[in-house]
Amino acid sequence: MANREKNKKTLLELVKLPENSCCADCGAADPDWASCTLGIFVCLNCSGTHRNLPSVSRIKSIRLDFWDDELVQFMKANGNRAAKNLYEKFVPVFYYQPQPDDCEVLREQWIRAKYERMEFTEEKTERPYTAGVYEGMLWKKGKDNGQFLERKFVLSVHDFTLKYYKEDESKGPKATISVKDLNATFQPEKIGHAYGLQITYCVDDHTRNLFVYHKNGREIVNWFNAIRAIRHVYLKTAFPTLIPWITRSYLKEGYMEKTGPLQREPFKKRWFILDSLDRKLLYFKTRLDAIELGVVFIGSENHGYSVRECVPKGTRGNKWKCGVIVETPDRQFVFMCEQERDQREWVEALKTVQSFTEMTLHVLSARALH
């Protein structure tokens, strides 16, 4: 019993070390689990993926399970930093490394890539998602009927485009999308598939969405990283300051009610997406619409923009009562949220975009002086 408590104390001391205090795979704080075969400390969510790799990883609780002396010495000799130096030595700069809140498929494929396939232990000149051309079949949601149909997609670094085709490829691509404004983000809940990906781009100053999925988790993550690889090549030359935003998740999404410019029109329920990089609040009829109905630009307070909570009077047709007002130099926008929590979150998110705008303007001004 004394030896057991001693080993538990040693493990708890090890996990408090700065290099072990976050999950080795997603960075979540205070991991309570460990792989006694890899010598790493991981969080509860990542431990589930490790359990699915019994030939590679054996998971134990650092608080509840029995640890013998040999295993504890192994953990002391290794740890998260040593594992990172081995298993992540040659991770491409564009390759997406999941965060604690990311969806399961990103976390699973990152863990499998590191420990099962050992993709990053050796320097490789070419991987499937770095070949310059990536093509294959994806299930795409139809714009009108909502059905998902299998379509061929081709991503090419030669002309920096993503193309997709209908059944008859001889007629040419159905759409040719520049990677300049291309974004991809995993949306499993919205799309209704664990491997669902939302691809967003601009056409004639309008935002367009494609909703796709693949039946294989590794393949959809390869598509995601192939998009990031080509975006990285493009941005490195054209817009190097935007490299941190090769792809990005949206700051906030959800339903609000919206009225017209006169604020006498009935409120209508709309799906909103807040894009912090482009500083746009986009709205759609439903969350799976292909084309936005409109957009509100979110500027800085110095340029006449403001955001605040409100309780509007004399409104018509609104079921929800928690208001948000966005003032622009040209117009006042009134939105209604279902709950006070939603109201607070939207105001906080919109103010975050305003702060981001102010920061960007300061950086641009500083560069102009030099």
Side-chain angles (χ1 to χ4, degrees), residues 140-141 148 191 197-198 209-212 287-289:
K140 174 189 168 293
K141 179 183 176 292
F148 281 85
I191 295 173
L197 191 69
Q198 178 178 337
N209 292 321
L210 297 179
F211 300 100
V212 300
R287 63 181 186 171
L288 289 177
D289 271 13

Side-chain angles (χ1 to χ4, degrees), residues 45 48-49 52 102-110 188 194-195:
N45 286 334
T49 298
N52 293 327
D102 278 321
C103 63
E104 184 177 347
V105 68
L106 277 171
R107 186 169 54 246
E108 177 195 1
Q109 291 305 315
W110 168 239
Y195 307 149

Side-chain angles (χ1 to χ4, degrees), residues 5 66 69 81 95 120 135 160 166 170 174 182 275:
E5 289 302 314
F66 172 76
D69 295 346
R81 179 184 295 167
Y95 194 97
F120 315 120
E135 62 179 76
F160 292 112
K166 296 188 76 172
S170 64
K174 174 69 174 174
L182 189 66
D275 186 342

Side-chain angles (χ1 to χ4, degrees), residues 56-332:
V56 175
S57 184
R58 182 184 168 204
I59 287 291
K60 294 170 71 74
S61 168
I62 62 175
R63 298 178 184 273
L64 302 177
D65 287 331
F66 172 76
W67 289 76
D68 60 34
D69 295 346
E70 185 178 351
L71 290 179
V72 171
Q73 288 303 313
F74 180 76
M75 296 300 297
K76 288 180 70 174
N78 289 277
N80 291 3
R81 179 184 295 167
K84 184 180 182 69
N85 291 338
L86 173 61
Y87 296 107
E88 300 180 26
K89 187 174 183 180
F90 296 106
V91 177
V93 65
F94 62 81
Y95 194 97
Y96 187 81
Q97 300 181 33
Q99 305 300 304
D101 294 332
D102 278 321
C103 63
E104 184 177 347
V105 68
L106 277 171
R107 186 169 54 246
E108 177 195 1
Q109 291 305 315
W110 168 239
I111 291 170
R112 288 185 179 276
K114 285 201 294 182
Y115 310 118
E116 186 179 56
R117 301 194 291 269
M118 300 186 72
E119 287 186 21
F120 315 120
T121 55
E122 297 179 3
E123 189 169 16
K124 300 178 182 178
T125 56
E126 194 169 290
R127 296 177 173 89
Y129 39 80
T130 61
V133 176
Y134 199 88
E135 62 179 76
M137 306 299 288
L138 293 172
W139 290 85
K140 174 189 168 293
K141 179 183 176 292
K143 185 173 69 171
D144 299 321
N145 59 18
Q147 292 183 331
F148 281 85
L149 299 172
E150 205 169 18
R151 295 287 182 254
K152 181 178 180 179
F153 282 75
V154 179
L155 181 67
S156 175
V157 74
H158 304 303
D159 56 1
F160 292 112
T161 63
L162 173 67
K163 300 182 178 78
Y164 76 88
Y165 299 80
K166 296 188 76 172
E167 297 91 338
D168 187 357
E169 294 182 29
S170 64
K171 294 182 179 179
K174 174 69 174 174
T176 299
I177 304 163
S178 169
V179 303
K180 176 179 180 290
D181 299 309
L182 189 66
N183 188 44
T185 180
F186 277 91
Q187 296 277 14
E189 292 184 13
K190 181 193 288 189
I191 295 173
H193 194 282
Y195 307 149
L197 191 69
Q198 178 178 337
I199 297 172
T200 305
Y201 60 100
C202 289
V203 178
D204 300 327
D205 294 326
H206 285 279
T207 299
R208 175 73 190 268
N209 292 321
L210 297 179
F211 300 100
V212 300
Y213 70 83
H214 197 281
K215 295 180 180 180
N216 181 279
R218 180 179 179 181
E219 184 64 16
I220 198 67
V221 173
N222 277 352
W223 269 105
F224 181 60
N225 281 304
I227 290 171
R228 288 177 59 85
I230 288 181
R231 282 269 297 165
H232 181 262
V233 174
Y234 175 81
L235 292 175
K236 191 165 58 173
T237 303
F239 303 102
T241 57
L242 295 181
I243 285 178
W245 295 278
I246 297 175
T247 59
R248 61 197 183 276
S249 296
Y250 298 114
L251 188 58
K252 185 168 175 59
E253 296 187 53
Y255 280 111
M256 290 192 289
E257 293 179 329
K258 176 188 176 296
T259 186
L262 300 178
Q263 297 184 16
R264 292 195 293 269
E265 300 88 344
F267 278 78
K268 296 180 179 179
K269 187 177 177 182
R270 296 290 183 250
W271 180 263
F272 286 82
I273 295 177
L274 183 58
D275 186 342
S276 58
L277 181 62
D278 289 340
R279 306 193 297 280
K280 291 179 179 179
L281 179 64
L282 306 156
Y283 57 92
F284 302 78
K285 188 173 183 180
T286 71
R287 63 181 186 171
L288 289 177
D289 271 13
I291 302 176
E292 38 99 340
L293 295 176
V295 59
V296 182
F297 181 79
I298 309 299
S300 68
E301 290 186 357
N302 291 340
H303 289 79
Y305 294 82
S306 65
V307 179
R308 69 180 188 273
E309 296 179 7
C310 69
V311 184
K313 298 179 180 179
T315 56
R316 296 175 53 231
N318 55 301
K319 295 180 180 179
W320 299 340
K321 307 300 180 184
C322 305
V324 175
I325 286 182
V326 176
E327 295 269 8
T328 76
D330 302 319
R331 178 181 162 185
Q332 183 187 77

